[in-house]
């Protein structure tokens, strides 16, 4: 090689930026050409969610503003600051965990990093490239859910224009902190405990969830026993002092935004500098660690475990097989296959443990309502909240675990496609699996809590029917939409669940819950409340039964329409 | 050019490579053979620096892969058995990315890209997104990328899978030409006829140990068999420790 052909100095950050830009440009160009309906659906759904959060926040802030003006509610500014502190702290925790998990699969589980690490790309540059993607991916929910809250606050309290200018600047600097912290944790866990990394993440998530839930229970109990005097409000707000420490980055964000709202640009600028300088410092420190640890970590992940581990049958498989024993043997085998895949992935079942733990804490917390020392109206409300909470749990369960099932068949889908069974049966099998478990768990939770509350028989029957419609309908939606919009290229179920199809499924599920509860359960509760207020029995109108019938029809539609669309897509699918 | 000195590699409790010693000279076309699970891919990943040895040292072009990996990787190209392409890049954009990554001067990079498109007959599809490529088209694009920056070492894992006969012939000719130009080719394959046809020397690994190493004649002498490479390979791997040989 002569001198004129000697390699030039490579600006790797620029090279990766160019790569990202090209990938994005080509992907967007393709969407524009071939999948405009999808793009439109994404935009409409996002706007819908954004609008709903904005409206709810606007009413909340307006309520607080009015209370502040009439003087009936002390410390409104402090309450809002505390709310922001909690919002940003929750965001910090969420970004630390989701960022580290997404980064883990990007850095250690993707074919792309295997390719890049075999080129002269520097380890810290590959890390930085994947880090930016992971942080962008994990923080989009904040943009969608956090920005309407902050903008509603700005509109209600008529903040100066530069408050809005500060928002993106604060956001961009702030996400560096939890993102870098999550990345650092990811690298350290993989280096320190390469064989137990999934268990460490599972236990950490569980521990944090339990601590948060226990703290929430404590706060709610305190709130229920307070008379809202000025001192009581102050005492209550003091319980959130942990989120307001001088070294808490989420508090810097709150202080900065509040300063901007009051026109104190100097203070806002100082907080912004604090956020950015610390964010950049942590990012540089993490990149420095990545330059030394990333290749070593990659080696440890690949070779950390044993090459071949023996797996055998388990009583759990037999239990599941027994529960779905009413299905034909072929469908049962497919269900057992899905279940085995699920139970052998700690990242999957750890999240189920968290779901279950949170639900157990919730029901433990409301047990004091079961003592019978509260009035019927209160019980009536609690039983409706229990029903709604169970519906949300079902929605989260089907969205997170059922929706990705078909996509997870991945590139080996052709194996199922060549099996001597109708492809529709794949869907109906997954649907039966989901609906059976969802129904068993949800019916138990709702009927048990209703019985403990001493709810009357008709209400329990209505709840049982509503749960049936919810479990079956949400399962139908998740399986059907999962087959309509499969993502065979993604192997991470959490990414599938938070992708476009997963988000659409979540939004559809939430709307479905709203409609079913409004049609089937709400009228009966309203009747009970009115009856209690008037002190006389209100006869059941035929409209109440019509609501139940309409709910059943909506439920049937939620099962058959998505499953038919999904099955048609599956039948047409080529491999 | 490639040197493995007393290299061992363990996966948990399983020993994948056991004190492997290997030396591949500049311009040599070396075929690395072995049954499934013998340690071929692990060896290759150690050579390209994706994995680090549990014991021993790997050197490429005089650079220690663990301490000077970035310099060593500048010299080599790796074509894995399941190559990676960015699905949302065109073939040409991918080649440009590789040219930039290896620091090729702009004009030289463009010339080489044009040459590779010509050599591997990529012209018909190089401006389409790679997600639309067939397996053979992807393989050809990956080989074009691997040879684009004129590496001094080419490491290839199962190169002929998915290629049509014409492309296989082209690939064999290219590997031979590269070798003649002084490029070291480390070829891992199950295609014994290709190994026999191309290789200057052959190494056979089994149960993580190098059981045979040398020219085909050396291997024949070791096996006490005057047959094809296939016969020699089967006899040597049958007799290797751990295979229940008498």
């Amino acid at each position: 090689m002569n001198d004129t052909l000697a390699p030039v100095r490579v600006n790797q950050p620029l090279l990766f930026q160019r790569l990202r830009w090209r990938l994005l440009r080509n992907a967007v160009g393709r969407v524009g050409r071939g999948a405009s309906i999808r793009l439109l659906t994404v935009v409409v759904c996002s706007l819908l969610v954004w609008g709903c959060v904005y409206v709810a926040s606007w009413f909340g802030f307006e309520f607080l503003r009015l209370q502040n003006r009439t003087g009936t509610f002390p410390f409104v500014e402090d309450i809002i600051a505390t709310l922001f502190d909690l919002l940003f702290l929750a965001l910090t925790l969420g970004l630390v965990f989701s960022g580290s998990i997404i980064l883990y699969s990007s850095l250690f589980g993707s074919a792309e990093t295997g390719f890049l690490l075999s080129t002269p790309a520097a380890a810290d540059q590959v890390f930085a490239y994947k880090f930016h993607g992971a942080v962008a991916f994990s923080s989009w929910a904040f943009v969608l859910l956090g920005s309407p809250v902050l903008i509603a606050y700005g509109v209600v309290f008529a903040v100066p224009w530069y408050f809005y200018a500060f928002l993106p600047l604060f956001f961009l600097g702030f996400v560096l902190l939890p993102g870098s912290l999550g990345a650092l944790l990811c690298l350290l866990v993989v280096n320190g405990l390469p064989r137990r990394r999934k268990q460490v993440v599972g236990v950490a998530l569980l521990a944090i969830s339990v601590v948060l839930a226990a703290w929430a229970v404590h706060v709610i109990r305190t709130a229920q026993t307070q008379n809202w005097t000025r001192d009581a409000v102050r005492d209550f707000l003091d319980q959130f002092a942990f989120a307001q420490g001088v070294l808490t980055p989420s508090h810097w964000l709150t202080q900065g935004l509040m300063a901007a709202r009051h026109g104190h640009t100097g203070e806002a600028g100082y907080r912004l500098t604090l956020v950015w300088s610390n964010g950049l410092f942590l990012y540089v420190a993490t990149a420095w660690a990545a330059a030394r640890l990333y290749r070593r970590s990659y080696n440890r992940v690949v070779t950390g475990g044993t090459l071949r581990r023996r797996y055998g049958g388990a009583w759990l498989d037999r239990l599941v097989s027994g529960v779905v024993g009413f299905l034909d043997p072929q469908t049962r085998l497919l269900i057992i296959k899905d279940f085995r895949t699920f139970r052998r992935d700690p990242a999957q079942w750890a999240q189920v443990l968290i779901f279950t733990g949170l639900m157990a804490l919730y029901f433990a917390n409301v047990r004091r309502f079961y003592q019978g020392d509260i009035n019927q109206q209160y019980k009536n409300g609690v039983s409706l909240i229990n029903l709604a909470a169970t519906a949300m749990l079902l929605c989260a369960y089907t969205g997170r675990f059922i929706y990705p099932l078909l996509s997870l068949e991945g590139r080996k889908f052709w194996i199922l496609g060549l099996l001597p069974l109708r492809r529709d049966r794949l869907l109906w099998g997954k649907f039966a699996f989901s609906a059976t478990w969802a129904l068993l768990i949800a019916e138990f939770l709702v009927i048990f809590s209703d019985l403990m509350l001493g709810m009357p028989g008709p209400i329990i029957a209505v709840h049982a029917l509503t749960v049936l419609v919810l479990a079956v309908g949400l399962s139908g939606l998740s399986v059907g939409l999962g087959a309509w919009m499969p993502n065979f290229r993604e192997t991470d179920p959490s990414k599938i669940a938070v992708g476009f199809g997963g988000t659409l499924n979540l939004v559809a599920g939430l709307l479905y819950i709203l409609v079913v509860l409004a049609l089937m359960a709400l009228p009966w509760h309203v009747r009970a409340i009115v009856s209690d207020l008037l002190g006389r029995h209100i006869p059941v109108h035929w409209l109440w039964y019509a609501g139940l019938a309409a709910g059943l029809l909506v439920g049937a539609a939620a099962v058959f329409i998505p499953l038919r669309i999904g099955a048609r897509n599956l039948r047409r699918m080529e491999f | 050019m490639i040197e493995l000195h007393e290299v061992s590699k363990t996966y948990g409790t399983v020993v994948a490579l056991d004190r492997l010693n290997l030396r591949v000279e500049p311009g040599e076309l070396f075929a690395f053979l072995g049954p499934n699970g013998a340690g071929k891919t692990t060896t290759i990943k150690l050579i390209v620096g994706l994995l680090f040895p549990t014991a021993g040292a790997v050197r490429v072009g005089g650079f220690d892969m663990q301490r000077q990996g970035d310099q060593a990787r500048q010299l080599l190209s790796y074509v894995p058995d399941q190559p990676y392409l960015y699905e949302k890049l065109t073939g040409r954009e991918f080649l440009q990315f590789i040219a930039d990554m290896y620091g090729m001067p702009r004009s030289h990079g463009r010339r080489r890209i044009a040459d590779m498109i010509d050599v591997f007959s990529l012209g018909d599809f190089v401006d389409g997104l790679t997600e639309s490529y067939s397996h053979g088209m992807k393989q050809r694009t990956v080989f074009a990328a691997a040879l684009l920056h004129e590496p001094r070492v080419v490491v290839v894992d199962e190169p002929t899978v998915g290629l049509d006969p014409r492309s296989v012939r082209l690939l064999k000719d290219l590997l031979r030409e590269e070798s003649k130009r002084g490029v070291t080719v480390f070829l891992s394959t199950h295609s014994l006829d290709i190994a026999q046809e191309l290789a200057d020397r052959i190494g056979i690994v089994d149960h993580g140990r190098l059981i045979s190493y040398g020219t085909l004649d050396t291997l024949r002498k070791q096996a006490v068999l005057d047959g094809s490479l296939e016969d020699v390979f089967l006899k040597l791997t049958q007799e290797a420790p751990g295979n229940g040989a008498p």
Side-chain angles (χ1 to χ4, degrees):
Chain A
M1 195 180 287
N2 61 44
D3 283 347
T4 56
L5 301 183
V8 295
R9 189 178 157 76
V10 181
N11 184 342
Q12 290 191 2
L14 183 68
L15 184 59
F16 280 116
Q17 284 306 323
R18 213 182 292 152
L19 171 67
R20 193 192 304 284
W21 169 244
R22 278 193 179 135
L23 290 170
L24 185 70
R25 186 196 62 191
N26 291 350
V28 169
R30 193 165 171 77
V31 165
R33 281 195 301 274
S36 51
I37 294 176
R38 278 194 173 194
L39 183 66
L40 191 69
T41 319
V42 173
V43 172
V44 169
C45 283
S46 302
L47 286 175
L48 198 68
V49 171
W50 197 96
C52 288
V53 176
Y54 176 81
V55 170
S57 308
W58 189 90
F59 277 110
F61 287 125
E62 182 64 11
F63 170 78
L64 286 173
R65 194 182 66 84
L66 290 174
Q67 301 305 311
N68 192 35
R69 211 166 57 181
T70 55
T72 52
F73 218 64
F75 310 123
V76 162
E77 284 288 314
D78 288 353
I79 290 169
I80 291 173
T82 305
L83 283 174
F84 282 171
D85 278 328
L86 288 176
L87 174 72
F88 298 140
L89 186 65
L91 171 75
T92 307
L93 287 176
L95 283 179
V96 166
F97 274 95
S98 63
S100 61
I101 289 169
I102 291 171
L103 193 63
Y104 170 79
S105 42
S106 299
L107 288 179
F108 303 106
S110 80
E112 184 189 6
T113 46
F115 157 70
L116 289 173
L117 289 176
S118 70
T119 69
D124 54 346
Q125 296 301 331
V126 179
F127 165 82
Y129 165 63
K130 301 307 281 185
F131 172 84
H132 296 152
V135 168
F137 195 79
S138 58
S139 56
W140 74 267
F142 175 66
V143 177
L144 192 64
L145 301 175
S147 63
V149 175
L150 294 168
I151 290 173
Y153 168 74
V155 170
V156 169
F157 287 92
V159 299
W161 65 268
Y162 41 81
F163 173 86
Y164 301 106
F166 269 113
L167 278 181
L169 298 176
F170 267 111
F171 168 73
L172 286 174
F174 179 69
V175 292
L176 281 175
L177 280 157
S180 303
L181 188 61
L184 198 56
L185 284 174
C186 171
L187 285 171
L188 293 177
V189 167
V190 168
N191 257 282
L193 297 155
R195 294 182 204 184
R196 292 274 175 271
R197 54 192 186 274
K198 288 179 181 171
Q199 286 85 341
V200 168
V201 173
V203 168
L205 276 173
L206 193 63
I208 287 177
S209 304
V210 168
V211 169
L212 280 177
W215 171 79
V217 167
H218 176 67
V219 170
I220 291 166
R221 281 187 177 159
T222 311
Q224 284 166 348
T225 54
Q226 298 276 20
N227 293 314
W228 293 110
T229 60
R230 293 180 73 87
D231 288 344
V233 171
R234 174 57 64 198
D235 285 349
F236 184 69
L237 292 180
D238 284 347
Q239 298 203 44
F240 303 97
F242 68 90
Q244 296 161 336
V246 286
L247 297 178
T248 314
S250 50
H251 188 52
W252 304 338
L253 189 54
T254 304
Q255 285 184 312
L257 291 176
M258 296 308 259
R261 172 244 191 284
H262 290 293
H264 305 146
T265 47
E267 171 73 7
Y270 165 67
R271 297 290 167 189
L272 184 66
T273 312
L274 205 55
V275 166
W276 268 98
S277 54
N278 280 278
L280 285 173
F281 172 74
L282 196 56
Y283 172 62
V284 170
T286 308
W288 180 84
R292 278 139 195 86
L293 294 178
Y294 179 32
R295 281 188 181 275
R296 188 164 163 246
S297 308
Y298 186 88
N299 172 60
R300 288 195 153 203
V301 166
V302 175
T303 56
T306 52
L307 267 177
R308 286 170 279 274
R309 184 178 156 190
R310 282 184 175 278
Y311 291 92
W315 62 271
L316 276 170
D317 297 347
R318 288 192 290 279
L319 175 71
V320 172
S321 183
V323 170
V324 293
F326 60 92
L327 296 168
D328 63 281
Q330 279 181 322
T331 312
R332 221 161 51 223
L333 282 174
L334 291 170
I335 288 173
I336 297 297
K337 172 191 75 69
D338 286 342
F339 179 67
R340 271 195 186 130
T341 312
F342 168 80
R343 74 175 171 80
R344 285 171 182 167
D345 184 354
Q348 291 271 75
W349 55 253
Q351 291 187 33
V352 170
L353 273 184
I354 292 167
F355 269 119
T356 314
L358 288 173
M359 209 58 197
L361 273 167
Y362 171 74
F363 278 92
N365 181 43
V366 296
R367 75 169 186 274
R368 72 188 205 88
F369 294 119
Y370 306 151
Q371 315 296 325
D373 59 347
I374 57 171
N375 66 40
Q376 194 57 38
Q377 274 193 44
Y378 216 172
K379 285 183 179 180
N380 193 38
V382 170
S383 79
L384 183 62
I385 290 171
N386 278 351
L387 181 67
T390 309
M392 295 294 178
L393 183 78
L394 281 179
C395 186
Y397 159 75
T398 52
R400 172 63 184 78
F401 300 107
I402 302 300
Y403 175 81
L405 274 183
L406 203 94
S407 297
L408 285 175
E409 301 293 354
R411 292 176 194 262
K412 52 201 181 299
F413 188 78
W414 62 270
I415 298 173
L416 296 177
L418 293 180
L419 286 179
L421 55 85
R422 289 186 60 197
R423 289 187 194 170
D424 296 24
R425 192 177 285 180
L426 286 172
L427 287 195
W428 286 105
K430 289 183 197 300
F431 166 73
F433 173 65
S434 167
T436 305
W437 281 100
L439 195 62
L440 285 175
I441 294 167
E443 289 287 12
F444 169 76
L445 287 175
V446 167
I447 294 175
F448 172 76
S449 64
D450 276 353
L451 287 173
M452 294 299 282
L453 281 167
M455 297 305 289
I459 290 280
I460 297 178
V462 166
H463 281 187
L465 190 64
T466 310
V467 165
L468 171 80
V469 170
L470 285 169
V472 169
L474 288 170
S475 298
L477 273 174
S478 291
V479 175
L481 293 180
W484 183 37
M485 290 174 289
N487 179 2
F488 291 132
R489 293 199 174 114
E490 184 56 66
T491 53
D492 183 352
S494 49
K495 274 191 179 177
I496 298 169
V498 299
F500 163 63
T503 310
L504 183 67
N505 178 53
L506 183 72
V507 172
L510 290 174
L511 287 174
Y512 175 71
I513 289 172
L514 207 66
V515 171
V516 169
L517 289 182
L519 282 173
M520 298 183 76
L522 198 61
W524 296 81
H525 283 272
V526 171
R527 173 179 164 267
I529 291 168
V530 173
S531 180
D532 204 45
L533 284 173
L534 298 177
R536 63 182 173 83
H537 176 74
I538 296 175
V540 178
H541 196 268
W542 66 269
L543 276 172
W544 272 251
Y545 293 110
L548 291 179
L552 285 170
L553 280 177
V554 171
V559 172
F560 288 105
I561 294 173
L563 280 176
R564 276 180 71 92
I565 295 172
R568 196 171 55 203
N569 191 42
L570 214 56
R571 278 195 298 273
R572 288 177 181 170
M573 207 174 279
E574 293 176 343
F575 307 106
Chain B
M1 185 53 82
I2 300 174
E3 195 180 348
L4 281 83
H5 179 67
E6 289 291 306
V7 169
S8 294
K9 181 69 186 170
T10 56
Y11 290 80
T13 54
V14 176
V15 180
L17 286 180
D18 187 11
R19 285 169 292 147
L20 191 71
N21 288 291
L22 197 65
R23 194 181 167 87
V24 185
E25 302 299 335
E28 184 177 359
L29 203 158
F30 183 81
F32 198 50
L33 313 178
N36 291 328
K40 297 190 298 296
T41 301
T42 298
T43 307
I44 283 179
K45 286 184 174 172
L46 288 166
I47 291 171
V48 300
L50 278 176
L51 299 181
F52 299 147
T54 311
V58 179
R59 296 175 78 81
V60 172
F63 295 110
D64 182 283
M65 281 310 293
Q66 209 157 343
R67 289 184 292 110
Q68 300 159 296
D70 287 348
Q71 289 105 305
R73 273 183 289 275
Q74 187 70 41
L75 305 178
L76 62 80
S77 260
Y78 169 43
V79 181
D81 52 348
Q82 290 175 327
Y84 180 81
L85 281 173
Y86 288 95
E87 295 189 328
K88 292 284 185 275
L89 286 189
T90 66
R92 191 187 298 278
E93 286 169 340
F94 181 69
L95 294 175
Q96 186 62 57
F97 174 69
I98 295 294
D100 292 343
M101 176 61 82
Y102 284 86
M104 296 176 76
R106 207 70 181 167
S107 57
H108 180 55
R110 271 199 294 270
R111 254 196 326 273
R112 284 290 296 166
I113 288 173
D115 288 348
M116 289 297 108
I117 290 172
D118 191 37
V119 168
F120 287 95
S121 307
L122 310 180
D124 288 345
F125 54 85
V126 74
D127 291 313
L129 294 186
T130 64
E131 66 183 4
S132 63
Y133 291 8
S134 69
H135 182 75
M137 288 149 82
K138 283 181 182 171
Q139 281 284 82
R140 279 149 61 192
T141 310
V142 165
F143 271 106
L147 299 181
L148 179 71
H149 61 98
E150 297 167 290
R152 286 168 59 194
V153 179
V154 178
V155 180
V156 196
D157 197 357
E158 285 301 341
T160 53
V161 176
L163 290 182
D164 59 35
R166 187 181 295 275
S167 301
V168 171
R169 177 61 186 269
L170 170 71
L171 185 69
K172 286 196 293 192
D173 291 346
L174 268 171
L175 290 178
R176 204 181 278 123
E177 271 173 35
E178 290 293 317
S179 168
K180 276 184 193 155
R181 287 199 314 112
V183 174
T184 306
V185 180
F186 189 96
L187 170 72
S188 167
T189 182
H190 286 299
S191 303
L192 300 181
D193 52 341
I194 291 179
Q196 182 168 354
E197 186 184 340
L198 294 182
D200 299 317
R201 283 191 305 162
I202 296 162
I204 300 177
V205 66
D206 194 14
H207 289 95
R209 289 184 183 164
L210 194 64
I211 58 169
S212 194
Y213 178 44
T215 61
L216 181 55
D217 286 339
T218 314
L219 268 57
R220 281 179 179 139
K221 277 179 196 154
Q222 188 184 338
V224 199
L225 188 76
D226 192 23
S228 66
L229 177 58
E230 185 179 342
D231 298 328
V232 172
F233 174 82
L234 290 174
K235 182 145 191 282
L236 287 171
T237 51
Q238 177 67 33
E239 288 172 354
N243 284 338

